[in-house]
Amino acid sequence: MFRQKPSGKKILFLTSMLALMGAVFLMGGITMSSASANSLNKTPPKEKPPCSQSCNLTKGLATITNVNGNTIQAKLMGTEQKDNQVTLLTTAKTTYDPDRSIVAVGKSIVFAGTINHDGSITAQLITSYDPSATDVTGTIVKIDGSTITLQTKDTQSIVHLTNSTIFLKLDFKDKKKLPATLSDLKVGMTVTAHCTVHGNGSLTAQSVVIVPANSEVK
């Protein structure tokens, strides 16, 4: 089986948290500006309301180094700081994508949760992370033997197909994926290709899913 990237819902979940954090910081800036103005007018500043749980939201990339019950020790990725260790605490409400088997030593993960007073993080979401894989959704503008060219919002991507590429088509009515073949691909169709990203930037499809024309997938 191929490791799937975080689903659309999980990505929206992470994006929503970032937007929420940004809003909190913005409101903090507005509060500080108002306090400065009141100070100039010799008016005592209003007491700042207590910070809600949203102030402590965080997310990141990490590689798991140890698992002990509901406690995960991990090393943060993309940082040169000496203190790059993080402790994640899981609960019955923690969501895993694709499942809890991703919690294992050596696995790379994306996590999102809330920071506790002791610096640990209570994980709301833990999902697998594969830097060598990506999803490309676009309209087929060209089919040339073992390659398809997809028009995305900003650019065109050439996706290579192999004998191992799995073809599927979405059936929204029954909420399932049905088998398909290369011959089912047509210019003008919208597809999502789950691809391996090679060192030279080329893409090889692990799977190609045909998206119905009346769907909301972009």
Side-chain angles (χ1 to χ4, degrees):
M1 293 179 64
F2 299 105
R3 182 182 298 169
Q4 296 182 348
K5 293 195 69 180
S7 64
K9 289 184 178 180
K10 303 301 184 301
I11 295 175
L12 288 173
F13 175 82
L14 293 174
T15 306
S16 299
M17 287 198 298
L18 284 176
L20 185 57
M21 291 172 69
V24 171
F25 292 144
L26 177 59
M27 290 303 296
I30 293 175
T31 302
M32 291 175 65
S33 298
S34 300
S36 298
N38 288 334
S39 177
L40 291 174
N41 294 326
K42 297 182 180 181
T43 301
K46 295 181 179 180
E47 182 178 353
K48 187 176 180 179
C51 183
S52 65
Q53 189 180 35
S54 62
C55 297
N56 295 325
L57 290 174
T58 187
K59 76 179 189 72
L61 296 174
T63 300
I64 297 175
T65 57
N66 185 60
V67 180
N68 183 11
N70 70 332
T71 301
I72 301 170
Q73 301 294 336
K75 181 179 180 181
L76 294 173
M77 299 168 60
T79 176
E80 299 299 328
Q81 297 179 2
K82 292 182 179 180
D83 186 17
N84 60 357
Q85 301 295 317
V86 63
T87 299
L88 303 175
L89 306 177
T90 60
T91 69
K93 295 182 178 180
T94 301
T95 299
Y96 305 91
D97 182 25
D99 53 54
R100 203 183 187 288
S101 66
I102 62 173
V103 179
V105 174
K107 293 289 186 70
S108 295
I109 59 170
V110 177
F111 65 85
T114 54
I115 303 174
N116 302 312
H117 292 298
D118 62 359
S120 63
I121 297 171
T122 298
Q124 298 175 1
L125 169 69
I126 297 178
T127 185
S128 60
Y129 173 71
D130 183 359
S132 67
T134 188
D135 287 334
V136 180
T137 298
T139 302
I140 300 176
V141 294
K142 184 179 180 181
I143 301 176
D144 185 9
S146 62
T147 65
I148 56 175
T149 302
L150 301 182
Q151 178 66 57
T152 63
K153 181 178 179 181
D154 302 315
T155 187
Q156 289 189 353
S157 297
I158 297 176
V159 177
H160 296 269
L161 309 174
T162 70
N163 292 333
S164 299
T165 301
I166 299 173
F167 298 94
L168 300 166
K169 53 186 175 183
L170 288 182
D171 183 345
F172 281 123
K173 183 178 180 181
D174 294 329
K175 297 182 179 180
K176 61 182 180 180
K177 296 177 181 178
L178 303 175
T181 65
L182 172 59
S183 62
D184 290 320
L185 301 183
K186 307 295 181 185
V187 172
M189 283 183 169
T190 297
V191 300
T192 294
H194 182 65
C195 304
T196 297
V197 182
H198 300 288
N200 60 2
S202 63
L203 304 172
T204 298
Q206 299 176 9
S207 65
V208 176
V209 180
I210 300 172
V211 181
N214 61 347
S215 74
E216 296 182 356
V217 177
K218 302 296 183 181

